[in-house]
């Protein structure tokens, strides 16, 4: 699997709910985990690998234990506000400050189809909001603080130029 890099239009797709947790989902989840660890990421949404399914892998500790694959996640409750720096595997080398909820409660299903309720704050809470945004086609630069946006303007332009150059012959 390859992680789509901004501004690949695939990143703007709104992912469809997973209807059935079958062999295909197991396989996608496996490959997503591998892709995330290879890229030293803490989270990855299926939309980032060009798959329009509401599937997220998360492992902020990177220790490969516990529940790491989440199906059809959504936020049911959020509290507080906090601005912290974040990055994204679809924007290699770019970091910026984003306002997020301080804590969130997420409902999701694991690969066994069991319903999970997860309360998360800190880095995990931030990662959840970031990944669920991906499933909705929302990118973290769209939520960056104005100051971070100014700092990163040139870098974002460079991503756009690189994408155009790489795809110039394909059209
Ligand atoms: Zn991301």
């Amino acid at each position: 699997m390859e992680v789509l890099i901004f501004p690949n239009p695939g990143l703007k797709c709104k992912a469809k709910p997973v209807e059935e947790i079958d062999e295909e989902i197991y396989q996608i989840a496996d490959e997503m985990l591998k892709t995330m660890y290879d890229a030293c990421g803490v989270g990855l949404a299926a939309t980032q690998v060009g798959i329009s399914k509401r599937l997220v892998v998360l492992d902020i500790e990177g220790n490969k234990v516990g529940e790491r694959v989440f199906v059809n996640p959504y936020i049911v409750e959020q509290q507080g506000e906090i601005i912290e720096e974040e990055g994204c595997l679809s924007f290699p080398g770019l970091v910026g400050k984003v306002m997020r909820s301080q804590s969130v409660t997420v409902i999701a299903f694991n690969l066994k189809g069991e319903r999970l309720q997860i309360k998360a704050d800190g880095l995990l809470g931030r990662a959840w909001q970031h990944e669920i945004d991906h499933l909705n086609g929302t990118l973290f630069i769209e939520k960056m603080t104005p100051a971070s946006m100014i700092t990163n303007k040139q870098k974002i332009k460079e991503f756009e130029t690189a994408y155009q150059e790489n795809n110039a012959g394909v059209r």
Side-chain angles (χ1 to χ4, degrees):
M1 278 181 176
E2 258 184 65
V3 178
L4 304 185
I5 303 299
F6 174 82
N8 190 305
L11 292 169
K12 294 301 299 165
C13 289
K14 192 170 155 66
K16 295 184 185 71
V18 173
E19 308 264 348
E20 201 182 337
I21 301 168
D22 54 13
E23 200 54 49
E24 188 200 3
I25 297 297
Y26 294 146
Q27 204 176 332
I28 293 170
D30 246 20
E31 285 181 46
M32 280 176 63
L33 281 170
K34 188 181 179 306
T35 306
M36 177 180 76
Y37 291 126
D38 284 353
C40 297
V42 297
L44 185 70
T47 33
Q48 287 181 278
V49 290
I51 295 171
S52 179
K53 289 185 193 299
R54 302 189 81 82
L55 194 60
V56 160
V57 294
L58 262 183
D59 185 1
I60 61 160
E61 310 276 356
N63 56 10
K64 306 190 180 184
V65 295
E67 213 73 76
R68 291 170 293 151
V69 179
F70 303 93
V71 178
N72 296 341
Y74 59 97
I75 292 169
V76 285
E77 207 184 308
Q78 44 207 115
Q79 275 177 336
E81 283 179 337
I82 185 166
I83 296 176
E84 293 274 10
E85 206 157 71
E86 59 188 79
C88 178
L89 292 179
S90 296
F91 294 79
L94 194 152
V95 291
K97 290 187 170 175
V98 182
M99 162 104 71
R100 298 284 186 190
S101 297
Q102 197 153 22
S103 74
V104 291
T105 304
V106 175
I107 303 282
F109 296 85
N110 64 14
L111 284 180
K112 292 181 209 154
E114 294 162 339
R115 184 177 181 275
L116 313 168
Q117 181 167 329
I118 305 140
K119 186 152 179 158
D121 57 12
L123 177 60
L124 183 60
R126 181 162 291 273
W128 264 119
Q129 294 170 75
H130 182 112
E131 300 312 332
I132 289 177
D133 270 354
H134 270 306
L135 298 181
N136 294 323
T138 301
L139 300 171
F140 83 129
I141 56 165
E142 295 164 38
K143 296 189 164 179
M144 244 180 218
T145 61
S148 277
M149 208 53 209
I150 290 166
T151 311
N152 283 305
K153 208 175 163 189
Q154 186 56 33
K155 261 190 179 163
I156 290 167
K157 208 178 235 175
E158 284 167 19
F159 275 113
E160 286 166 345
T161 308
Y163 185 80
Q164 278 164 10
E165 283 172 3
N166 288 336
N167 292 278
V170 182
R171 250 165 276 213

